[in-house]
Amino acid sequence: MELKGRLAAIASKVPKCETLFDIGTDHAYLPIFLIQEHICNHAVACDVRSGPLRIAKKNIAKHGFQNNIDIVLSDGLSSVAPTKRDVIVIAGMGGMLIADILDASKDKVDSAACIILQANTAIVTLREWLYSNSFEISDETLCKEDRRIYNIIIAKLAPGNDATSNNKKCSKDFFVGQKLIDNANPLAEEYFERMIRKYQKVARGLEKSAKFSGTQINIPEVEYFIEALAELRRRNIDGNI
Ligand SMILES: C[S@@+](CC[C@H](N)C(=O)[O-])C[C@H]1O[C@@H](n2cnc3c(N)ncnc32)[C@H](O)[C@@H]1O
């Protein structure tokens, strides 16, 4: 099996591990691919609905991986128990739902080697949850599928579970993925430009609303992404000298 686009990008971030827990597996493409590529020895494909799990079961059987991949009906992580040699992936859902899933099983999430998260919406909520719960974002990347850009976040419990440094995080840290700048992500420039346009549109919308009529609205989100873009470009220039 080959993966493309978003799922391929997520798979490329999964480190070698004992067991991969795919929460919200749907078709089980990710665990099938990771077993095939020997990234993990074993996988658990979880979903809250039995319909997707029936499809997952068929796909797993088609590849002959019945002995490698368990199928578990589970709301989030409620019916599974990862250990420190395991990796959790939660992908293809809204950021609020992902944050709720993490929040409901904080002790289990803490136990894993790392968690890999790909939220379709509300990435800000997700970063805020991670920083408020003693996690650090060890890596972040972007991928593009059908013109849409997706963020993929890799998070680990901060050393010593110390939330002190994370407490110093400000709103900008929740909006802008600093690792995208640090790693000079090739899609970061396009992504930041899109975010600037998105929040400028929000500001223009507010200006048109009756409440703010006639007043120029500046929302901090626009500034966050303008600063991020400037930092990215500065670093790219410095890096090329
Ligand atoms: C859009 S699919 C994403 C599938 C796959 N992870 C991907 O990224 O392509 C979302 C899946 O998450 C499942 N889901 C939603 N809420 C869930 C929860 N609380 N616990 C487990 N699975 C959930 C849905 O049933 C659905 O199969």
Side-chain angles (χ1 to χ4, degrees):
M1 166 190 272
E2 286 295 315
L3 292 182
K4 290 187 295 177
R6 183 184 60 85
L7 279 177
I10 296 167
S12 75
K13 288 292 168 187
V14 178
K16 281 218 171 238
C17 58
E18 184 60 38
T19 302
L20 180 273
F21 288 82
D22 186 27
I23 309 299
T25 194
D26 201 352
H27 32 61
Y29 292 156
L30 190 70
I32 291 169
F33 179 80
L34 294 170
I35 290 285
Q36 172 192 283
E37 299 299 309
H38 307 288
I39 303 295
C40 53
N41 295 325
H42 184 243
V44 183
C46 299
D47 209 286
V48 74
R49 295 185 298 135
S50 50
L53 289 182
R54 273 196 293 277
I55 295 167
K57 192 173 176 185
K58 272 193 197 156
N59 288 336
I60 291 164
K62 203 164 87 185
H63 289 84
F65 290 149
Q66 298 94 319
N67 294 334
N68 310 84
I69 306 176
D70 291 335
I71 294 167
V72 178
L73 187 67
S74 178
D75 184 356
L77 289 140
S78 59
S79 305
V80 293
T83 72
K84 63 177 189 302
R85 294 193 304 271
D86 304 333
V87 170
I88 300 170
V89 173
I90 314 180
M93 301 178 207
M96 303 247 218
L97 176 56
I98 296 179
D100 284 347
I101 289 174
L102 297 173
D103 211 47
S105 297
K106 171 86 171 80
D107 52 334
K108 295 184 182 181
V109 180
D110 285 354
S111 308
C114 75
I115 50 177
I116 300 177
L117 309 170
Q118 181 270 306
N120 292 341
T121 56
I123 289 134
V124 179
T125 308
L126 205 49
R127 286 203 199 90
E128 190 166 2
W129 187 92
L130 291 167
Y131 289 135
S132 311
N133 285 277
S134 308
F135 278 83
E136 62 179 16
I137 294 177
S138 56
D139 193 9
E140 180 165 346
T141 191
L142 299 168
C143 67
K144 205 175 186 182
E145 186 176 302
D146 299 333
R147 298 200 71 251
R148 194 169 166 184
I149 294 180
Y150 296 93
N151 301 56
I152 301 166
I153 288 174
I154 297 92
K156 291 187 169 117
L157 206 55
N161 304 355
D162 186 2
T164 325
S165 60
N166 284 337
N167 287 341
K168 291 187 195 125
K169 298 280 181 208
C170 62
S171 296
K172 186 183 168 197
D173 299 310
F174 305 149
F175 278 88
V176 176
Q178 184 60 35
K179 291 284 175 192
L180 300 176
I181 301 172
D182 296 345
N183 300 337
N185 188 284
L187 283 172
E189 183 155 346
E190 183 179 350
Y191 174 67
F192 292 153
E193 283 169 349
R194 284 186 187 198
M195 289 297 112
I196 292 165
R197 285 198 295 276
K198 171 182 157 173
Y199 287 107
Q200 278 174 336
K201 202 169 159 193
V202 172
R204 296 298 86 80
L206 286 172
E207 281 169 12
K208 280 191 198 133
S209 73
K211 192 172 168 200
F212 298 108
S213 176
T215 323
Q216 193 191 330
I217 302 287
N218 295 312
I219 56 172
E221 290 85 339
V222 175
E223 280 312 307
Y224 298 157
F225 285 105
I226 286 176
E227 280 171 27
L229 186 59
E231 189 183 346
L232 181 77
R233 285 179 174 157
R234 207 168 41 243
R235 290 213 201 175
N236 281 347
I237 291 168
D238 291 347
N240 289 332
I241 290 171

